[in-house]
Amino acid sequence: MSSEVYLSVVIPAYNEEENVPILYERLKVVLEKLDKDYEIVFVDDGSKDSTWERLKEIAQRDKRVKLIRLRKNYGQTAAMYAGFQHAKGEVIITMDADLQNDPEDIPRLMEKLQEGYDIVSGWRKDRKDPFLSRKLPSMVANWIISKATGVELHDYGCTLKAYRSDIIKRLELYGDMHRFLPALTKRLGARITEIPVKHHPRIYGKSKYGIGRTVRVILDIFLVKFLNEYLNKPMYVFGTVGFFLLSLGLLALFYLIFIKLFLDESIGRRPLLILSVLFILAGIQLISTGILAELLVRIYYRTKEEKPFIVEEKINL
Ligand code: UDP
Ligand code: MG
């Protein structure tokens, strides 16, 4: 076996003790058939059950299994990010640890990637999750994300995706941003496509998310839109609105001054006065925010060392 790893499979796992041994066996069957050098990177996201012990047993037998254990439960995004940082493959495939994604889909994702794409996204066409709490919010979210970012995919939430690692390693991930990986790479000019993949109901363990993630997803959409389109020019976002308000405010104020001085009307009790002051203040605030954002963006591009997680332990790395 040469030391060049071609494929890294990155798997975030949080309290998945029953699932990881089965997943490993199934993955191995598929990966052995691929005839490429591979590694499986499991990231234990601070599990409280015996996930880490199960993983260690596997890693002892198989040196191609690499383990990272995060110090606490940082969330799926941080876990995947940690996995990306340590993955050595040219191609990175991400999948859930809960057996809902099917390793059998990996060869097809890779074939599609070979056609010249940077990202191939899995699409759980026949998704085995509850309709009201899962599938419906997801359909709406996917539609909005597609329209807002211009990267049209049916299933942003599917973890099973294949990436060229040079693209994915450029990203810094915070919050719940793993869901937006394809949209975030748009800025880098990534070629993105999708193929239908299989999906299974969860048998062991519990889902880590509830309906509460909807609000976070909506807020993230704004953020992604901003990052994609205005990260290089935040002044335009804040400045445009600020300029508009400031102009309106000043106009109203000049009008009031005019009628006060030349028509000798009292302006003290007019709502327009309050409105114009409000607009002027808001406008100045927004323009200043734009300037601050410009400064921050410059700093952002310079300091890219810090990571939003601490690795507690590593095996075979
Ligand atoms: N996960 C994680 N950290 C978390 C939450 C989830 O590493 O804080 C992992 C989890 O173990 C699973 C994947 O992320 O492998 C997807 O989670 P889940 O199956 O709960 O999401 P769902 O399929 O219900 O959307
Ligand atoms: Mg799941």
Side-chain angles (χ1 to χ4, degrees), residues 52-312:
W52 181 245
E53 283 66 40
R54 295 286 91 75
L55 288 173
K56 275 204 292 199
E57 285 161 23
I58 300 168
Q60 254 153 27
R61 280 183 279 137
D62 187 343
K63 294 294 167 219
R64 279 180 291 196
V65 174
K66 319 280 167 80
L67 304 184
I68 301 165
R69 183 187 195 184
L70 301 186
R71 182 166 266 252
K72 68 171 191 87
N73 178 232
Y74 284 95
Q76 191 179 346
T77 299
M80 288 170 71
Y81 191 16
F84 293 155
Q85 300 299 313
H86 292 92
K88 299 216 173 62
E90 268 170 60
V91 171
I92 295 180
I93 287 191
T94 54
M95 67 189 299
D96 285 345
D98 59 0
L99 306 174
Q100 291 202 270
N101 296 137
D102 198 321
E104 298 281 340
D105 286 317
I106 291 177
R108 289 176 42 247
L109 287 168
M110 290 180 63
E111 262 167 45
K112 195 74 193 173
L113 204 67
Q114 236 74 82
E115 287 176 22
Y117 292 101
D118 299 304
I119 298 182
V120 182
S121 175
W123 168 20
R124 296 164 294 180
K125 213 168 175 174
D126 182 17
R127 187 169 168 187
K128 303 284 195 299
D129 277 324
F131 180 78
L132 265 186
S133 66
R134 284 305 162 82
K135 291 206 277 191
L136 185 68
S138 152
M139 269 160 62
V140 177
N142 281 306
W143 187 83
I144 301 176
I145 301 168
S146 294
K147 293 298 165 210
T149 63
V151 180
E152 306 237 353
L153 293 178
H154 285 93
D155 197 357
Y156 269 89
C158 179
T159 311
L160 184 57
K161 289 181 164 60
Y163 306 90
R164 296 227 153 268
S165 73
D166 54 350
I167 280 277
I168 206 67
K169 286 195 174 193
R170 272 169 225 264
L171 293 182
E172 285 165 56
L173 303 176
Y174 299 90
D176 278 346
M177 282 292 157
H178 67 274
R179 224 168 271 127
F180 295 91
L181 284 172
L184 287 170
T185 55
K186 189 190 172 197
R187 196 157 46 95
L188 308 169
R191 287 164 302 241
I192 303 160
T193 190
E194 67 183 354
I195 59 172
V197 295
K198 284 182 240 131
H199 193 243
H200 306 288
R202 195 189 247 279
I203 297 168
Y204 305 107
K206 283 202 290 279
S207 171
K208 312 300 179 297
Y209 302 102
I211 191 81
R213 76 171 138 191
T214 319
V215 178
R216 297 202 301 267
V217 169
I218 294 170
L219 291 173
D220 278 343
I221 293 171
F222 286 107
L223 188 59
V224 170
K225 173 105 182 141
F226 177 82
L227 290 177
N228 258 352
E229 282 167 43
Y230 299 109
L231 189 57
N232 294 316
K233 41 183 170 29
M235 184 60 182
Y236 292 175
V237 188
F238 298 107
T240 312
V241 185
F243 181 78
F244 179 70
L245 290 181
L246 186 62
S247 313
L248 271 180
L250 285 175
L251 225 83
L253 191 67
F254 287 142
Y255 166 72
L256 290 174
I257 292 174
F258 176 80
I259 60 172
K260 168 80 187 162
L261 290 183
F262 296 98
L263 309 178
D264 203 26
E265 277 180 35
S266 151
I267 59 168
R269 298 160 74 83
R270 293 192 56 158
L272 189 62
L273 183 63
I274 298 170
L275 204 67
S276 73
V277 171
L278 184 72
F279 277 17
I280 291 169
L281 283 180
I284 293 171
Q285 286 284 347
L286 279 168
I287 293 171
S288 325
T289 306
I291 294 170
L292 285 180
E294 287 285 339
L295 293 179
L296 288 178
V297 161
R298 281 158 181 71
I299 297 169
Y300 165 82
Y301 276 118
R302 282 208 192 170
T303 58
K304 289 197 163 191
E305 263 102 53
E306 254 212 306
K307 301 280 175 292
F309 56 80
I310 306 167
V311 173
E312 185 166 73

